[in-house]
Amino acid sequence: MSAHEESGPRDRMIHPDVAKAGDESERGQDGRRLDHAEATTRPIGAEPKAKAVREAQPRGAKIRGNRPIDQAEAAERFLAAPLHQKAHDERLWDLRKKRDTAAFGIPEWEELRDLASQIKAHTLSNLDRYLEEFEANAKANGVHVHWAADGAEHNRIVHGILKDHGAKSLIKSKSMLTEECGFRHYMAGTGIEVIETDLGERIQQLDNEEPSHVVVPAVHKTRFDVAAVFAKTMGTDPENDDAHYLAESQRMHTRPLILEADAGMTGCNFAIAETGTVVTCTNEGNADLSGNVPKLQIHSIGIEKLIPRIEHLGVFLRLLARSALGSPITQYTSHFRAPREGSEMHYVLVDNGRSERLGMEEFWTSLKCIRCGACMNTCPVYRRSGGLSYGATYSGPIGLIIDPTFNKRKYSTLPFSSTMNGSCTNVCPVKINIHEQIFAWRKVLAEEHQIPLLKQGMMKAAGQVLSRPATYRAAIGAADSALRALPRFAVYNPLNTWGKGREMPDSPRQSFHSWYKQNRMDKKPETDA
């Protein structure tokens, strides 16, 4: 029996180019490498003939002030890069499959989803009370609590804290809230250096890009891309795209910056009202470094992250890692409750439109989101178009319902970037009805004329046809006849957006209505003798 066969089925899931002998990956008591939801796709360039393959990374949507994001244009550029598109699709589908394995591995999965959804609904329905309880307990623990109405105020508060302490450098762990607030861009003009400690976030920072995914920020990049970024910014070997070499290079480059930082900052996965505690979940331990190495600690908290009691945390922890990565738990679940002796701790509670969204009858449940990214991993549009094509902090299905709450005009096109297949709702650990909210946003945007005039005209014309059965049947018959008779260039033209990037379905010889009329209508039902 070969050594590979002796390693067992779990190790066989890992490609040999990734599971190198002598690596430092975590191992169990039996000496075998632990499976923490490593992707199972073959690494790009694993075969020698593919080593020379290089492809420029597609960039994200073009931001033109307040003009609507052209997600379709950015998606086309991503689709035109087959190496990136294929890798992105496969990586995220791996996470989706691992999520399914982890979820159905525990019999109480659906019960946990129900319970988490109920806890979130209860908390959001009593948010004012739990925020006051959280603040009171945090202050009793010696924490300074600040309130920010929007992203700009959050940035000014944090800047003020840093300035008061004479801080010149800040290390921070991954935080979608700070991305939402534009924190790094704001700090760029203050003279205070901000260093991301999450590997994916650091890659994106060095490449001057936003994160493309709420959990894996640089998932759209190949290791060739990362090698090029590190060579340009850290002086590494541009020809060495080995993942171990790249990760270790980043670690050695960033660790001195962490040890010398004047302040640390983390986001927040869950804020516990009962104890005034902030909980963060990471797989790299970077939140622990950011929250413990410097003497000044700052934690940015979206007000929707509240849960009532410590006992509720276990429900969400069992759902989060399984939904995000297919792992039973994250490597590090860190609790920040009070400042250490000789240090200072600050909480910044941020609204930034959340209170307004809480009053939206059809969209308030989007505040239940725990940022696991499961809806993104399963979405066929997101997987094939890349997160940067959405031009927003939150991409994929959850972004389609969150982004318009920030700016209806700018993100008016996003709710139409969906096939409405409902898979996002099926995998959501807190049971947000995502696809129904996407459809609801389409109605709102149409009613408020936030969609292009051409699309408005087409939808109005379609409505006229669909509301008249005789007209509809005549149109269907004419369209079927045209598809069978017209040459290809006449069918696949710029006006036929359905035929862009896909083949039109074969035209049936007979409509269902015609068949039903011929075979079923006016026929008496059979009766028992």
Side-chain angles (χ1 to χ4, degrees):
M1 182 179 290
S2 68
H4 184 63
E5 290 174 330
E6 290 176 347
S7 63
R10 175 172 289 184
D11 285 343
R12 286 200 295 272
M13 295 174 67
I14 306 169
H15 191 272
D17 280 15
V18 177
K20 294 184 176 180
D23 66 25
E24 298 179 357
S25 300
E26 298 86 347
R27 296 180 181 275
Q29 294 181 351
D30 59 1
R32 293 181 180 175
R33 176 173 172 162
L34 295 179
D35 177 13
H36 288 296
E38 297 95 335
T40 58
T41 48
R42 289 176 62 85
I44 296 173
E47 298 172 2
K49 65 179 181 180
K51 285 289 185 181
V53 175
R54 293 292 188 275
E55 179 182 82
Q57 180 209 312
R59 293 292 161 169
K62 298 172 183 176
I63 309 299
R64 302 182 177 91
N66 198 42
R67 292 177 59 185
I69 296 294
D70 192 346
Q71 195 267 343
E73 183 274 333
E76 284 184 17
R77 286 188 279 108
F78 195 79
L79 287 166
L83 193 66
H84 286 80
Q85 190 275 320
K86 184 174 185 293
H88 190 262
D89 186 18
E90 290 184 353
R91 286 166 181 165
L92 294 173
W93 190 243
D94 277 339
L95 294 180
R96 164 62 206 270
K97 290 190 295 184
K98 284 186 171 290
R99 174 263 174 203
D100 291 349
T101 300
F104 298 124
I106 53 176
E108 64 273 26
W109 179 254
E110 289 304 320
E111 184 179 353
L112 286 170
R113 290 181 70 205
D114 284 332
L115 186 54
S117 182
Q118 291 167 16
I119 293 170
K120 276 291 187 178
H122 165 78
T123 309
L124 292 168
S125 299
N126 298 275
L127 190 56
D128 54 345
R129 175 163 63 88
Y130 285 119
L131 284 170
E132 290 175 355
E133 182 182 352
F134 177 78
E135 179 187 34
N137 288 325
K139 286 182 175 180
N141 295 335
V143 179
H144 300 274
V145 180
H146 311 263
W147 297 85
D150 54 28
E153 188 172 7
H154 164 273
N155 297 340
R156 290 193 298 269
I157 289 171
V158 175
H159 181 207
I161 296 169
L162 297 172
K163 189 176 180 181
D164 290 344
H165 288 76
K168 296 300 180 184
S169 63
L170 170 75
I171 55 172
K172 66 181 291 289
S173 67
K174 187 168 73 66
S175 163
M176 294 308 296
L177 175 61
T178 59
E179 296 290 344
E180 175 188 319
C181 295
F183 175 71
R184 273 211 321 264
H185 297 286
Y186 173 90
M187 293 301 295
T190 67
I192 300 174
E193 183 182 15
V194 176
I195 302 111
E196 296 285 355
T197 58
D198 175 87
L199 176 58
E201 282 280 1
R202 184 61 173 166
I203 292 169
Q204 290 304 92
Q205 181 184 21
L206 294 174
D207 200 24
N208 196 31
E209 273 191 334
E210 308 301 318
S212 69
H213 190 285
V214 296
V215 176
V216 275
V219 69
H220 61 290
K221 279 181 162 60
T222 66
R223 52 196 176 93
F224 303 143
D225 299 329
V226 177
V229 171
F230 283 6
K232 182 179 178 180
T233 57
M234 298 193 300
T236 56
D237 181 359
E239 297 302 316
N240 191 340
D241 52 49
D242 176 73
H244 294 260
Y245 166 75
L246 294 171
E248 183 65 15
S249 297
Q250 196 279 147
R251 180 187 184 196
M252 298 303 293
H253 182 267
T254 306
R255 187 53 62 95
L257 302 176
I258 294 173
L259 297 176
E260 297 168 5
D262 299 315
M265 186 177 192
T266 81
C268 169
N269 288 100
F270 307 101
I272 305 171
E274 179 184 36
T275 60
T277 303
V278 165
V279 179
T280 63
C281 303
T282 69
N283 281 313
E284 300 172 24
N286 49 300
D288 293 58
L289 292 171
S290 300
N292 288 307
V293 174
K295 292 185 177 180
L296 176 61
Q297 306 171 46
I298 303 171
H299 304 275
S300 295
I301 309 163
I303 60 173
E304 84 284 10
K305 295 300 181 69
L306 266 287
I307 59 175
R309 295 196 293 273
I310 190 74
E311 67 189 66
H312 298 144
L313 181 63
V315 175
F316 292 97
L317 291 180
R318 296 189 73 193
L319 289 166
L320 178 59
R322 286 178 171 86
S323 297
L325 300 170
S327 299
I329 198 168
T330 49
Q331 305 279 10
Y332 301 89
T333 300
S334 309
H335 296 237
F336 299 98
R337 182 173 179 176
R340 306 183 316 279
E341 184 177 353
S343 67
E344 190 171 303
M345 182 182 290
H346 294 257
Y347 291 167
V348 185
L349 288 153
V350 184
D351 189 315
N352 203 36
R354 286 159 174 78
S355 293
E356 183 179 356
R357 198 190 322 165
L358 191 57
M360 296 180 177
E361 184 177 357
E362 291 188 282
F363 306 113
W364 72 272
T365 57
S366 63
L367 291 166
K368 293 181 179 181
C369 177
I370 60 173
R371 306 291 192 266
C372 68
C375 62
M376 305 164 79
N377 300 340
T378 197
C379 176
V381 176
Y382 175 87
R383 295 201 322 266
R384 291 166 177 81
S385 60
L388 296 180
S389 68
Y390 294 77
T393 299
Y394 303 106
S395 52
I398 192 63
L400 305 190
I401 61 177
I402 291 179
D403 296 329
T405 66
F406 295 125
N407 189 324
K408 286 181 186 176
R409 173 172 166 75
K410 186 173 182 178
Y411 303 119
S412 59
T413 62
L414 298 189
F416 297 91
S417 300
S418 170
T419 64
M420 300 295 289
N421 61 77
S423 181
C424 48
T425 298
N426 290 338
V427 300
C428 178
V430 289
K431 293 197 167 183
I432 302 172
N433 58 334
I434 300 175
H435 73 290
E436 292 177 351
Q437 291 191 39
I438 293 173
F439 179 68
W441 267 118
R442 292 182 180 184
K443 292 193 294 183
V444 169
L445 295 169
E447 290 168 357
E448 297 187 9
H449 306 291
Q450 292 288 352
I451 57 178
L453 290 175
L454 177 60
K455 181 173 284 188
Q456 289 184 47
M458 293 173 65
M459 291 175 69
K460 187 175 181 180
Q464 293 294 324
V465 173
L466 292 171
S467 64
R468 293 172 172 78
T471 306
Y472 170 74
R473 288 194 289 271
I476 288 295
D480 288 343
S481 299
L483 287 173
R484 289 192 295 267
L486 290 174
R488 185 176 178 83
F489 74 86
V491 175
Y492 294 90
N493 61 71
L495 294 178
N496 179 16
T497 54
W498 180 263
K500 195 172 186 179
R502 63 169 72 87
E503 288 293 315
M504 297 292 291
D506 292 334
S507 176
R509 292 289 175 182
Q510 186 179 30
S511 69
F512 174 77
H513 181 271
S514 175
W515 176 90
Y516 186 85
K517 186 176 181 180
Q518 176 182 330
N519 294 278
R520 291 290 187 269
M521 195 174 289
D522 297 330
K523 289 189 176 183
K524 294 180 180 180
E526 295 181 3
T527 58
D528 294 334

